[in-house]
Amino acid sequence: RKRFSKSKLPPNFHSHAATSFQAEREAIVQSQSNLTSDFEYSQHSSMAYAIDSEDTQEVDDAISLSYDSQGREWIHVHIADPAEAILPGSALANDVLHRSESIYLVTGVVRMLPDDTTEALTLKNGANRCFTVSYRFDEEANVIDFEISHKQIEMKRLTYEVVDRILSSPESVTAGVEELPSSEECRVIHRLNALAQLRPQEITFRLPDSVDVSVDAPNSEFEFVNVTKTIKDTPARNLVAELMIGANRAMALHGN
């Protein structure tokens, strides 16, 4: 809380900001004609997967694999697109300008966006509209082609634990998983992992394991402290990190 108080930002949004967001969002959802040509969403043909922790509430990216008419593989990184809904100069936009991130405290999260805004813009199982970075690798993991677009995707969430089990052996993903990945999903995850490992690892950074601490206070009399150890260096986490690095390289080429 000291970190948050030093920022001199109010923990709550102005009520008019949330109201403004609702009006803006409803207008965009009801009338696709409000979108400019830069925001025309093409239908993405492949299933996208958001790989994250089970308790993640703000799902902001997903990955997918597709093949073009020449059989070439394309990696896609799909990113939640708040700019589609938050209009420049609006009450909500002006409020958010004073915040740079969501702040995670032991007792809870102070979000960069209001809760209802975050819920509306986070990626969910099913249909989503995203800002998409698509790129192709050569055999040495150089980005040889890329495309920046807006796509409508079908997405499915997978946890790091499930993806780790897929990568250890497709057949091992059985008991204990509510929605079992299909053989095709296992194939896609394995192929994405193979592409992610193409980048030469001259310098490898090993992230230390972390300890997450949260406080659950169901009433004012008792508080429960939850301590969870998170292993950072796993195949699933490395898979996501490598594909994000590829997307960053594609964006750098686009910027040039």
Side-chain angles (χ1 to χ4, degrees):
R1 290 192 178 279
K2 288 183 179 179
R3 175 188 174 191
F4 190 67
S5 62
K6 286 181 180 179
S7 68
K8 299 181 180 180
L9 295 177
N12 299 316
F13 284 82
H14 301 303
S15 59
H16 70 269
T19 303
S20 169
F21 167 77
Q22 291 297 339
E24 296 162 16
R25 182 67 182 184
E26 289 173 6
I28 291 175
V29 170
Q30 293 174 3
S31 176
Q32 294 301 318
S33 62
N34 288 348
L35 304 178
T36 66
S37 59
D38 290 337
F39 282 84
E40 292 179 352
Y41 290 80
S42 59
Q43 184 66 46
H44 188 57
S45 59
S46 302
M47 176 65 75
Y49 302 97
I51 304 172
D52 221 318
S53 301
E54 185 175 2
D55 58 354
T56 297
Q57 297 181 1
E58 299 178 29
V59 180
D60 54 13
D61 56 67
I63 57 178
S64 67
L65 177 69
S66 72
Y67 299 85
D68 62 20
S69 59
Q70 300 180 45
R72 299 175 301 188
E73 291 176 313
W74 284 81
I75 300 168
H76 308 274
V77 174
H78 310 282
I79 306 164
D81 191 11
E84 173 243 342
I86 303 175
L87 304 180
S90 68
L92 179 59
N94 292 335
D95 216 345
V96 171
L97 281 175
H98 299 286
R99 304 164 184 259
S100 61
E101 60 180 334
S102 295
I103 298 179
Y104 292 83
L105 306 171
V106 172
T107 52
V109 181
V110 182
R111 301 190 187 281
M112 185 175 68
L113 298 171
D115 288 344
D116 60 347
T117 309
T118 301
E119 172 63 24
L121 295 177
T122 191
L123 302 181
K124 308 174 183 67
N125 285 328
N128 297 268
R129 297 194 298 185
C130 302
F131 176 84
T132 297
V133 181
S134 307
Y135 59 95
R136 291 197 301 116
F137 276 156
D138 64 13
E139 293 181 354
E140 297 180 350
N142 297 308
V143 176
I144 56 175
D145 200 359
F146 65 89
E147 179 183 80
I148 311 301
S149 61
H150 290 84
K151 292 186 179 296
Q152 180 164 314
I153 65 171
E154 286 292 324
M155 193 204 77
K156 179 178 181 179
R157 291 191 62 178
L158 295 174
T159 65
Y160 288 123
E161 292 74 17
V162 168
V163 173
D164 280 332
R165 293 170 67 183
I166 291 174
L167 294 177
S168 65
S169 172
E171 290 76 21
S172 71
V173 185
T174 54
V177 182
E178 182 177 351
E179 293 186 14
L180 302 182
S182 67
S183 58
E184 173 61 16
E185 290 172 333
C186 291
R187 185 198 67 80
V188 170
I189 295 299
H190 272 277
R191 185 54 191 160
L192 285 171
N193 188 56
L195 293 170
Q197 294 182 24
L198 287 176
R199 188 173 71 92
Q201 302 293 318
E202 295 92 350
I203 301 177
T204 301
F205 295 95
R206 297 298 182 187
L207 296 176
D209 298 343
S210 65
V211 175
D212 298 323
V213 180
S214 62
V215 175
D216 184 13
N219 55 58
S220 59
E221 186 176 356
F222 299 103
E223 291 186 348
F224 300 93
V225 177
N226 304 309
V227 180
T228 305
K229 180 179 179 180
T230 301
I231 300 175
K232 295 291 188 180
D233 187 21
T234 72
R237 291 175 183 272
N238 293 335
L239 159 62
V240 174
E242 287 296 331
L243 296 188
M244 295 301 161
I245 290 172
N248 289 339
R249 292 164 65 190
M251 285 299 297
L253 292 172
H254 177 68
N256 287 335

